[in-house]
Amino acid sequence: MHFKDKTKMALTGYGFILPTFVFLIWFMYYPVYQALSGAFTDWDGFNAPHFIGLDNFTRMMTDEVLGQSTINALIWVAFSIVLAVLPPFVVSELIFNVKKARLQYVYRTLFVIPIVIPGIVTILLWRFLYQGDGAINQLLGMVGLDSWQQLWLGNPHIALYSIMLMGFPWVSAFNMLIFYSGLQGIPKEVIEAAKLDGATGWKRVLRLDIPLSLPQFRLIVILTLVGSLQNIIPPLVMTNGGPGYSTYVPILHMYNVSTVNGEFGYGMSIALIMFVVILAFTILNMRLVKSDT
């Protein structure tokens, strides 16, 4: 093949992938550049940005709302990790120990089917369940537990936990499949050897399955950390950060100061800090996954 023909084929290939790079740069990297440059300005979204140096970051150090939202985010991350790890792992163990392969397939399918339901539908459903006259309070009244009835989203002491605990039984199909694939990767010879040594039932889970599933645990923990820090939809739709600031999180604060208060420069400074934190977790995730391959 002549050099001219090779060049023509290469240019054709680059021409096909060029739109991908254009959209990637415009929708992914350009917003990062805007946030990086705008974080050091005072900008209302309309007039020309005014450079103010590190003033936005200095303001962040004394922003009480941001401080409260950070505490809420840390609580949210802790709860999210527990719910992202324990229920899916238990379910994956139960499915993995079903003897018939066809039944394993059926159970996996039943847990995966809810993925097709849009997340916003689930959030709106749980907002309805949490209402004062919603299904949860009605059910508590039916079983004689009237004293347990609450304004689940109206009580500042429990509103954050109510949002975090929605989605019962908290079995993420994605996480469950990750754990299940990890269990399937354990050699049968190792499992048989463990049985001969008396490691059966929960003894096998503690001594064999969990240690050999540590790469899956680390992956899910990192992904949950990153996802929780970016999770704006539940508090925005269910409470808009209220009552008070009891369900406020940093990303919601960034959204409100930008779109409601018109302080886009300050909002970008919050976004920049969040970007650095999420980037750090992403790099950590990549290194952990690479170390396990």
Side-chain angles (χ1 to χ4, degrees), residues 60-74:
M60 289 173 59
M61 301 298 295
T62 57
D63 189 340
E64 295 182 359
V65 176
L66 182 60
Q68 179 61 50
S69 65
T70 302
I71 294 174
N72 293 339
L74 294 176

Side-chain angles (χ1 to χ4, degrees), residues 93-164:
E93 278 284 355
L94 294 174
I95 295 177
F96 180 72
N97 285 281
V98 174
K99 294 183 179 180
K100 294 184 178 181
R102 183 174 180 82
L103 281 179
Q104 289 189 21
Y105 174 78
V106 171
Y107 290 137
R108 292 201 312 268
T109 303
L110 291 175
F111 279 100
V112 170
I113 286 177
I115 290 180
V116 303
I117 302 175
I120 188 65
V121 174
T122 303
I123 294 172
L124 292 174
L125 173 62
W126 276 90
R127 188 176 70 172
F128 169 75
L129 295 176
Y130 279 139
Q131 289 179 353
D133 57 350
I136 295 179
N137 281 339
Q138 291 186 17
L139 181 61
L140 291 174
M142 290 173 59
V143 298
L145 297 175
D146 301 75
S147 60
W148 288 24
Q149 293 177 337
Q150 298 283 340
L151 292 174
W152 302 99
L153 299 178
N155 187 336
H157 300 292
I158 63 174
L160 180 64
Y161 301 99
S162 298
I163 297 177
M164 291 187 298

Side-chain angles (χ1 to χ4, degrees), residues 5-208:
D5 295 330
K6 290 183 178 180
T7 303
K8 184 177 180 181
M9 289 183 61
L11 291 176
T12 302
Y14 288 130
F16 277 111
I17 65 175
L18 180 60
T20 301
F21 283 103
V22 171
F23 283 111
L24 181 66
I25 293 172
W26 184 256
F27 291 106
M28 298 293 292
Y29 294 107
Y30 181 65
V32 173
Y33 165 74
Q34 276 194 316
L36 178 62
S37 58
F40 301 91
T41 65
D42 179 16
W43 183 43
D44 59 4
F46 298 98
N47 300 308
H50 174 63
F51 181 78
I52 58 174
L54 298 176
D55 288 358
N56 285 329
F57 299 95
T58 304
R59 175 182 171 185
M60 289 173 59
M61 301 298 295
T62 57
D63 189 340
E64 295 182 359
V65 176
L66 182 60
Q68 179 61 50
S69 65
T70 302
I71 294 174
N72 293 339
L74 294 176
I75 297 173
W76 195 309
V77 167
F79 265 79
S80 296
I81 290 175
V82 173
L83 296 180
V85 169
L86 290 183
F89 180 74
V90 171
V91 170
S92 66
E93 278 284 355
L94 294 174
I95 295 177
F96 180 72
N97 285 281
V98 174
K99 294 183 179 180
K100 294 184 178 181
R102 183 174 180 82
L103 281 179
Q104 289 189 21
Y105 174 78
V106 171
Y107 290 137
R108 292 201 312 268
T109 303
L110 291 175
F111 279 100
V112 170
I113 286 177
I115 290 180
V116 303
I117 302 175
I120 188 65
V121 174
T122 303
I123 294 172
L124 292 174
L125 173 62
W126 276 90
R127 188 176 70 172
F128 169 75
L129 295 176
Y130 279 139
Q131 289 179 353
D133 57 350
I136 295 179
N137 281 339
Q138 291 186 17
L139 181 61
L140 291 174
M142 290 173 59
V143 298
L145 297 175
D146 301 75
S147 60
W148 288 24
Q149 293 177 337
Q150 298 283 340
L151 292 174
W152 302 99
L153 299 178
N155 187 336
H157 300 292
I158 63 174
L160 180 64
Y161 301 99
S162 298
I163 297 177
M164 291 187 298
L165 293 175
M166 72 176 182
F168 179 85
W170 313 299
V171 179
S172 167
F174 178 72
N175 295 352
M176 184 268 292
L177 291 176
I178 290 178
F179 281 127
Y180 182 78
S181 64
L183 294 174
Q184 282 188 316
I186 300 176
K188 293 183 179 180
E189 296 79 8
V190 176
I191 296 177
E192 293 299 329
K195 289 181 179 179
L196 293 177
D197 291 338
T200 59
W202 286 106
K203 288 184 179 180
R204 195 201 77 190
V205 173
L206 296 175
R207 298 179 183 178
L208 181 66

Side-chain angles (χ1 to χ4, degrees), residues 206-219:
L206 296 175
R207 298 179 183 178
L208 181 66
D209 294 354
I210 291 180
L212 293 180
S213 297
L214 286 180
Q216 286 75 30
F217 277 98
R218 287 197 290 264
L219 173 62

